[in-house]
Amino acid sequence: MGAVVALISVLMILLSGLSSGLVVDGVSGLQRSPLDAVAFESGTKTDSAFTRSVVTSDQRDAWAARDDVADAELLGTAIVNAKNEDGTPVDLTLFGVEPGGFVEPATGEGSAPAGDGEVVLSVSAQSEGIELGDVLTIDRIGTELEVVGFTTDQRTFGHMDIGFLPLTTWQEIHSSTVPGQQASPEAYDSASVVALRGVDGKLPDLAAGDAAAGTSARTIVEAYDSSPGYTAEIMTMQLIQAFLYAISALVVGAFFTLWTVQRTRELAVMRAMGASTRFLLGDGLAQATILLVVSVGIGLAVGLGLGSLLVGTGMPFELESGPIMTGALLLLGLGLFGAAVATVRIARVDPLTALGENR
């Protein structure tokens, strides 16, 4: 039984790491940016809203004029296909940011984009063989982007590395303007969303801001659902984890039910000798606690060891203490619940059974 509980704990850690990895791989570009909220075009569907929404500089100005907004900047997002100089395909999510603005990330290597045609990539793009000075060519329109830096940490969106570039360059790419041509004036007046930061870390009044700017604002956490595939992936992993916890409770409960049935005569003898129901229940739960704590602890050690081997590989996998501890406590709690339901049978043990009533 201890081995079974330990294996369930290992599976819990692996599922937790995969779930956390999917979140990081899907929205780390939003998680690790100093945004409090984003304002989408009014009426934009939640699913993939970043690539569907279009806002204007007037809407940005309306947000910036509010007293509870410290910073409001246009932010452009677009998923593109590109090629490196050697012809290697590169999938990117382009974030068009205002140079020197609060959305622009810190660079761990190289420098921030100083002019049009320069891009800073997520540090995870280095695993694809991209280096400083490489020139990426956007498919269809042929726009060239020189890699001038890498971020200090992973920045991905929709499971693709993010490329941070000047907003004007993003606007030209988004409007399919080929090199050498001038984009329309309207192209330079629009972006995907308005990035917002409140005063002193406080969330702005989103409802009032929406009424003034004609937008649909969401907190940055709520905006995760607008990343491609994010909601479906997280719901799938949560459903799998829920079944795992339910199965663990049933398995532990079934084991202690059989264990209690096998001990019926011994328990009846103890009752006949004067043992109280509380003592018998406490004894059963104490043994269940020892079994669960030891088994879950062994499972955690093995799972963390296996998980550490998966971090940094091609699999989206991240070990985070919060989800792992929550999962371990759930396993313990549900296991004890199953054991408690099973040991309630002890309260019905008849002391006369020990005196040969059934013989």
Side-chain angles (χ1 to χ4, degrees):
M1 186 59 199
V4 171
V5 174
L7 288 174
I8 291 176
S9 301
V10 172
L11 182 57
M12 178 273 295
I13 289 183
L14 295 180
L15 287 176
S16 175
L18 182 57
S19 179
S20 298
L22 288 173
V23 172
V24 170
D25 210 44
V27 295
S28 60
L30 300 177
Q31 283 181 320
R32 296 166 180 173
S33 295
L35 282 71
D36 293 326
V38 288
F40 297 90
E41 178 184 8
S42 180
T44 304
K45 292 178 62 177
T46 301
D47 183 36
S48 299
F50 279 95
T51 54
R52 293 173 174 166
S53 172
V54 178
V55 296
T56 65
S57 57
D58 288 340
Q59 292 173 309
R60 174 203 58 197
D61 294 340
W63 275 103
R66 295 187 53 81
D67 294 335
D68 57 355
V69 175
D71 296 286
E73 297 178 3
L74 289 178
L75 171 64
T77 63
I79 297 174
V80 300
N81 298 319
K83 290 183 179 179
N84 206 346
E85 294 172 284
D86 58 2
T88 304
V90 179
D91 295 327
L92 291 174
T93 297
L94 297 181
F95 272 24
V97 298
E98 297 184 10
F102 79 98
V103 182
E104 185 178 78
T107 55
E109 184 178 353
S111 60
D116 293 339
E118 296 183 345
V119 63
V120 169
L121 299 183
S122 167
V123 69
S124 52
Q126 291 179 319
S127 63
E128 303 294 330
I130 301 176
E131 300 176 350
L132 286 176
D134 284 358
V135 176
L136 308 179
T137 304
I138 305 298
D139 287 351
R140 294 187 304 107
I141 59 177
T143 300
E144 295 184 346
L145 301 174
E146 180 185 0
V147 179
V148 297
F150 292 98
T151 60
T152 56
D153 50 14
Q154 179 182 351
R155 301 290 182 99
T156 47
F157 182 83
H159 304 290
M160 285 178 280
D161 295 314
I162 295 177
F164 295 88
L165 71 168
L167 181 61
T168 54
T169 303
W170 178 90
Q171 290 166 332
E172 292 170 355
I173 294 174
H174 187 255
S175 61
S176 300
T177 303
V178 299
Q181 293 185 357
Q182 185 70 26
S184 64
E186 293 79 11
Y188 294 107
D189 187 54
S190 62
S192 300
V193 298
V194 179
L196 303 171
R197 183 165 63 176
V199 177
D200 297 329
K202 297 181 180 179
L203 185 68
D205 187 339
L206 301 184
D210 284 337
T215 56
S216 177
R218 302 167 198 160
T219 65
I220 191 62
V221 175
E222 293 172 342
Y224 293 168
D225 292 339
S226 299
S227 173
Y230 176 84
T231 301
E233 291 172 351
I234 297 305
M235 289 181 64
T236 300
M237 294 305 302
Q238 289 176 342
L239 182 62
I240 294 174
Q241 289 175 311
F243 273 104
L244 173 65
Y245 296 136
I247 290 171
S248 68
L250 290 173
V251 168
V252 174
F255 169 77
F256 280 104
T257 296
L258 294 176
W259 174 73
T260 303
V261 170
Q262 290 175 343
R263 297 176 63 215
T264 298
R265 292 190 179 279
E266 289 79 3
L267 295 173
V269 170
M270 295 177 68
R271 285 290 303 275
M273 294 173 62
S276 65
T277 299
R278 176 179 296 181
F279 173 82
L280 295 178
L281 287 172
D283 176 70
L285 288 178
Q287 294 188 54
T289 301
I290 294 172
L291 173 67
L292 289 170
V293 170
V294 173
S295 300
V296 170
I298 294 174
L300 285 176
V302 175
L304 290 173
L306 291 175
S308 63
L309 299 177
L310 298 175
V311 175
T313 63
M315 178 184 297
F317 193 91
E318 290 287 335
L319 291 175
E320 296 183 350
S321 58
I324 290 174
M325 292 306 300
T326 299
L329 292 175
L330 280 173
L331 286 180
L332 290 173
L334 292 173
L336 286 175
F337 174 77
V341 172
T343 51
V344 166
R345 182 186 180 90
I346 295 175
R348 298 197 297 268
V349 174
D350 186 356
L352 294 178
T353 303
L355 302 178
E357 176 193 57
N358 295 328
R359 296 183 180 181

